[in-house]
């Protein structure tokens, strides 16, 4: 047999993060359904996985239509199975999934679920202590709907979004610690405009963290959701509603009430106030710099702007792949 | 040139001519009124049917909910190239596209003045830079009252809409709709120049049924009966389709080569031993170069029906390569249903093959020296004729997102000088 590698390993040692969520009405108004989002995610993730890079996606594990965790797990599983047949690529690394989960969401993941996907996925649990909280809520009170439970869940979620982009070591009792590689780029599409958990929509916070970390950021604005609002704000250098505190207070009135009734963020500074984050986003959106530079896409200005507005899945895939090749050297194929 | 070979070459030329299916890349838009009960489900099923295996087919987009910028109860986003409010939207995709509009018509759509005006406008949108074809679907009895010229067309009429149970209603309507839709798309994409799905002036789309008569004829006959009683296509079934006095080989060669969309091989225990079956199969599994662009190759689809009875054994047939296989269940009660599934599936394969051919031409309009483009996933058997013509040092561009590592291992072992690149990998 010719000893020829079919898959390149240009992504080895890297991880690429995905921010994606589904909102039916918003997507349908753009002529698309969940099928489009699911397929787009697979088309974007597959070359990354095949090239040996990891995927970072902090989705929940509920088996429901808008959940993409299982889509990614099935993709990784299929690629790994395809890599054990004794051919020249056997034994080479296929990217896996790193899934950060904030309290109390990780309580839903049973050992049986985790064991089933352990060959494809590493779950990193972010606890209330990790978030710097001291007034802890017991696990069995997590779903009580009490004010402390609501507040601590929002704080821990925000902490997770601040922690997950960074490489770090995880301590394991009586075993060597494990190093989790932080993502070197982030791809953003969709994003909930209503019914999200936390102080801000996840996509907004993840966009801000990526901008601050100065990693390549690919915002696919043509597929609706918060990603579209972000794309529009940066493209037009304007303030779109999701970038305002008034809009977010309207979406999450319970958290507004708690904030006003004296609930405070932990003093560690890990979690920042929503209005501070929004102000920073607005500043970055309206500052006078080219988009390609702000987002470090590796694309030229025209292509970056097109990526942020196109609703053509082929074109979006093409541009993200081109950007990842230029910035991280990850090649498809 | 000796006569038999000359005939084969002539047949090949004919294939290239007839098979010059549409060169425009088809894009599908499913339109339904937001209040239509089954609209979203049907659209989702159409998407899954036409884009199997994570998108191996034409793009399918939806038009239902009002666009973000539209007023309440306003219109969905405009179609690429549509003229709306005096403004032409930019075509979304590059190249020349064929827009296929599947209109799921029901009372809500018919009664809504906004939608009526939109459909009327779309039908006469002369400024559009894209070719647009309508396929209206009647979901209830009022659907035929859509405005002309759409209302004057022959609608798809899926059955089962009156079934009281919702889940069963969805299942029945979906099944019936996909069957009819697949047939229309096949006619539209495979008949050279047919811009109107109602244009029935050309020869009927034909499916070749390859089977060993010595087996008895149960599955093949069920499939043939379905084709003649339930579809608007034709079947090439047996010697009855050969005019008296003509040579079997020549007629079969001609039928296989020139006017047949696909072949269904009913594989029994003795199929591999029947010379005419093998002849038919080998003719169909031989790729054909495009007359105008000889580096573009196409292969009509083959679907294998595994009709080997329990306990019987048979041998594999190398010509089959990676052709898809479906199992025939020996159950008289389900024969009609199985026959329908098989015919609809093979026609879907023909639609996808036509799409891949058009997509390959759009993606690689002028392949470089040593490059070829196929409209199927390559396997060793179907690569041999291409290698015989172009030599062993090649880049093969093929549809889809990429072959599995196992398939690549086998291909590299047999063709070490060939590089394989999927259409997805070839996106510039």
């Amino acid at each position: 047999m010719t000893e020829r590698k079919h898959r390149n390993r240009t992504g080895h040692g890297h991880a690429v993060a995905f921010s994606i969520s589904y909102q039916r009405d918003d997507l349908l108004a753009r002529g698309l359904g969940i099928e489009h989002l699911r397929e787009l995610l697979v088309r974007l993730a597959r070359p990354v996985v095949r090239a040996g890079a990891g995927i970072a996606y902090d989705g929940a594990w509920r088996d429901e239509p808008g959940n993409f965790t299982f889509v990614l797990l099935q993709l990784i599983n299929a690629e790994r199975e395809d890599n054990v047949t004794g051919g020249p690529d056997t034994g080479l690394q296929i990217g896996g999934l790193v899934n950060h989960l904030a309290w109390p969401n990780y309580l839903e993941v049973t050992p049986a679920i985790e064991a089933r996907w352990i060959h494809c996925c590493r779950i990193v649990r972010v606890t209330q202590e990790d978030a710097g909280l001291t007034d802890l809520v017991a696990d069995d009170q997590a779903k009580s709907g009490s004010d402390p439970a609501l507040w601590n869940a929002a704080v821990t979620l925000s902490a997770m979004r601040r922690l997950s982009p960074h490489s770090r070591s995880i301590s394991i009792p009586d075993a060597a610690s494990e190093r989790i590689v932080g993502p070197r780029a982030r791809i953003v599409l969709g994003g909930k405009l209503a019914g999200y958990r936390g102080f801000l929509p996840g996509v907004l916070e993840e966009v801000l963290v990526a901008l601050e970390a100065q990693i390549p950021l690919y915002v696919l604005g043509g597929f609706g959701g918060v990603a579209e609002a972000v794309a529009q704000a940066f493209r037009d250098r304007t303030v779109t509603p999701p970038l305002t505190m008034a809009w977010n207070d309207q979406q999450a009135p319970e958290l507004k009430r708690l904030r006003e009734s004296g609930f405070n963020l932990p003093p560690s500074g890990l979690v920042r106030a929503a209005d501070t984050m929004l102000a920073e986003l607005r500043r970055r959106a309206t500052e006078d710099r080219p988009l390609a530079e702000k987002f470090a896409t590796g694309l030229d200005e025209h292509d970056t702007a097109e990526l942020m507005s196109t609703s053509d899945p082929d074109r979006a895939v093409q541009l993200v792949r081109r950007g990842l090749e230029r910035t991280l050297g990850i090649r498809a194929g | 040139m000796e006569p038999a070979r000359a005939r084969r070459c002539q047949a090949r030329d004919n294939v290239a001519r007839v098979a010059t299916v549409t060169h425009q890349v088809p894009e599908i838009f499913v339109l339904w009124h937001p209040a239509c009960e089954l609209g979203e489900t049907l659209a989702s099923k159409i998407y899954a049917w036409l884009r199997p295996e994570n998108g191996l087919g034409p793009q399918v987009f939806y038009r239902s909910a009002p666009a973000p910028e539209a007023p309440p109860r306003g219109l969905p986003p405009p179609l690429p190239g549509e003229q709306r409010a005096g403004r032409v939207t930019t075509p979304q995709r590059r190249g020349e596209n064929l827009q296929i509009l599947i209109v799921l018509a029901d009372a809500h759509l018919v009664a809504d003045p906004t939608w009526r005006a939109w459909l009327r406008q779309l039908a006469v949108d002369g400024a559009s830079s894209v070719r647009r074809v309508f396929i209206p679907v009647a979901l209830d009895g009022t659907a035929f009252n859509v405005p002309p010229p759409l209302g004057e067309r022959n609608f798809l009429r899926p059955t089962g809409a009156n079934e009281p149970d919702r889940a069963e209603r969805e299942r029945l309507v979906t099944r019936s709709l996909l069957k009819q839709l697949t047939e229309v798309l096949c006619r539209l994409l495979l008949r050279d120049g047919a811009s109107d799905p109602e244009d029935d002036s050309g020869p009927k789309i034909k499916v070749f049924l390859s089977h060993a008569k010595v087996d008895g004829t149960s599955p093949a006959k069920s499939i043939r009966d379905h084709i003649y009683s339930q579809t608007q296509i034709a079947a090439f079934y047996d010697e009855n389709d050969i005019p008296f006095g003509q040579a079997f080989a020549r007629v079969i060669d001609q039928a296989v080569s020139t006017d047949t969309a696909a072949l269904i091989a009913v594989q029994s225990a003795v199929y591999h031993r029947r010379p005419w079956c093998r002849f038919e199969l080998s003719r169909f599994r031989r790729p054909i170069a495009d007359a105008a662009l000889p580096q573009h190759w196409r292969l009509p689809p083959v679907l294998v029906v595994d009709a080997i009875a329990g306990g019987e054994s048979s041998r594999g047939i190398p010509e089959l390569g990676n052709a898809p296989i479906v199992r025939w269940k020996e159950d008289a009660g389900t024969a009609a249903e199985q026959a329908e599934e098989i015919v609809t599936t093979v026609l879907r394969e023909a639609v996808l093959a036509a799409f891949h051919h058009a997509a390959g031409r759009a993606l690689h309009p002028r392949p470089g020296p040593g490059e070829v483009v196929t409209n199927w996933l390559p396997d060793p058997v179907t690569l041999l004729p291409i290698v015989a013509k172009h030599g062993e040092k090649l880049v093969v561009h093929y549809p889809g997102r990429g072959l599995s590592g196992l398939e690549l291992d086998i291909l590299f072992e047999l063709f070490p000088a060939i590089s394989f690149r999927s259409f997805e990998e070839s996106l510039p």
Side-chain angles (χ1 to χ4, degrees), chain A residues 52-235:
Chain A
I55 300 282
Y57 174 64
D58 301 334
W61 289 68
R62 283 179 294 276
D63 198 1
E64 57 193 17
N67 186 285
F68 298 98
T69 307
F70 291 105
V71 175
L72 288 169
L73 288 171
Q74 281 154 8
L75 169 72
I76 292 166
N77 188 47
E79 291 297 326
R80 292 204 165 175
E81 276 189 357
D82 188 39
N83 202 34
V84 295
T85 51
D89 283 352
T90 294
L92 294 181
Q93 183 177 340
I94 288 283
L97 176 68
V98 173
N99 175 245
H100 282 76
L101 284 178
W103 181 91
N105 297 334
Y106 58 71
L107 299 175
E108 296 171 356
V109 183
T110 63
I113 295 174
E114 190 166 0
R116 185 177 167 208
W117 295 102
I118 198 75
H119 60 300
C120 297
C121 178
R122 176 71 167 94
I123 296 176
V124 182
R125 291 166 171 80
V126 177
T127 64
Q128 297 172 80
E129 292 94 328
D130 291 333
L133 289 162
T134 48
D135 293 333
L136 305 184
V137 174
D139 288 351
D140 60 4
Q141 294 299 305
K143 303 286 182 191
S144 65
S146 68
D147 288 352
L150 279 176
W151 184 259
N152 283 14
V155 169
T156 314
L157 192 58
S158 188
M160 182 199 79
R161 290 171 185 152
R162 310 297 303 187
L163 288 170
S164 68
H166 304 289
S167 297
R168 63 190 184 121
S169 289
I170 307 287
S171 300
I172 303 172
D174 288 335
S177 60
E178 185 179 352
R179 185 162 174 75
I180 302 293
V181 177
R184 297 280 307 278
R186 182 170 288 277
I187 299 168
V188 174
L189 63 160
K192 285 188 177 172
L193 287 159
Y196 55 85
R197 302 170 183 203
F199 299 111
L200 298 178
V203 162
L204 270 191
E205 207 163 342
E206 287 162 347
V207 161
L208 178 60
V209 171
L211 287 169
E212 289 175 340
Q214 296 179 307
I215 60 174
L217 177 61
Y218 302 94
V219 179
L220 280 63
F223 301 91
V226 177
E228 185 182 69
V230 169
Q232 193 193 342
F234 277 78
R235 230 180 30 238

Side-chain angles (χ1 to χ4, degrees), chain B residues 189-414:
Chain B
L189 300 184
L190 269 77
R191 287 219 331 238
D192 190 17
S195 60
D196 184 346
E198 286 187 50
D199 175 8
D200 204 22
S201 56
K204 281 188 171 183
I205 294 291
K206 191 178 280 187
V207 169
F208 198 106
L209 272 168
S210 176
H211 63 106
K213 294 193 85 178
V214 68
D215 290 323
T217 54
S218 178
K221 188 167 177 303
S222 295
I223 295 168
R224 183 200 62 178
D225 290 349
H226 170 78
I227 288 173
Y228 280 118
S229 65
Q230 303 295 324
T231 77
Q232 296 178 347
I233 62 173
F236 189 102
Y237 179 69
D238 60 14
E239 70 272 18
N240 292 327
D241 296 309
I242 298 176
F244 293 122
Q246 292 210 14
F248 273 66
R250 182 178 168 190
V251 176
I252 289 173
D253 204 30
Q254 186 80 8
V256 167
S257 303
T258 59
D259 56 1
T260 309
L263 178 139
I264 298 172
V266 181
Q267 189 182 13
S268 63
V270 300
Y271 184 87
H272 71 281
R273 291 203 299 266
R274 310 309 300 167
W276 285 113
C277 294
R278 295 293 289 269
F279 176 78
E280 292 157 2
L281 195 57
S282 65
R283 291 294 295 113
F284 234 82
R285 292 290 292 167
R286 210 174 299 168
I288 304 142
D290 191 294
L293 289 169
Q295 284 161 280
H296 284 261
W297 291 75
R298 59 176 288 275
L299 187 71
V302 168
L303 181 70
V304 181
V305 176
D306 175 3
I308 300 172
E312 286 188 325
S313 62
S314 183
R315 278 178 42 204
I317 300 173
E319 299 94 291
L320 285 176
N322 59 9
I325 302 174
V326 295
R327 176 93 175 94
W328 182 269
K329 295 186 285 286
E330 273 305 327
D331 174 3
T334 63
E337 198 169 313
Q338 288 187 74
E340 180 184 311
E341 272 178 28
I342 287 164
V343 172
T344 307
T345 301
V346 83
L347 291 180
R348 193 264 305 264
E349 295 298 314
V351 167
L352 295 179
F355 165 75
H356 293 317
H357 186 63
R361 287 183 61 128
L363 200 55
H364 302 284
R366 282 177 291 279
E371 286 185 291
V372 295
V373 185
T374 70
N375 76 333
W376 72 99
L377 298 179
D379 60 49
V381 172
T382 52
L383 277 174
L384 288 172
I386 296 176
V387 170
K389 179 161 182 183
H390 295 282
E392 289 188 356
K393 192 164 171 50
L394 280 176
V395 177
V396 175
H397 299 278
Y398 63 92
R401 315 277 189 240
L403 290 166
S404 72
L406 178 62
E407 285 172 298
L408 285 172
D409 285 347
I410 294 167
L411 290 172
F412 277 133
E413 192 173 358
L414 298 172

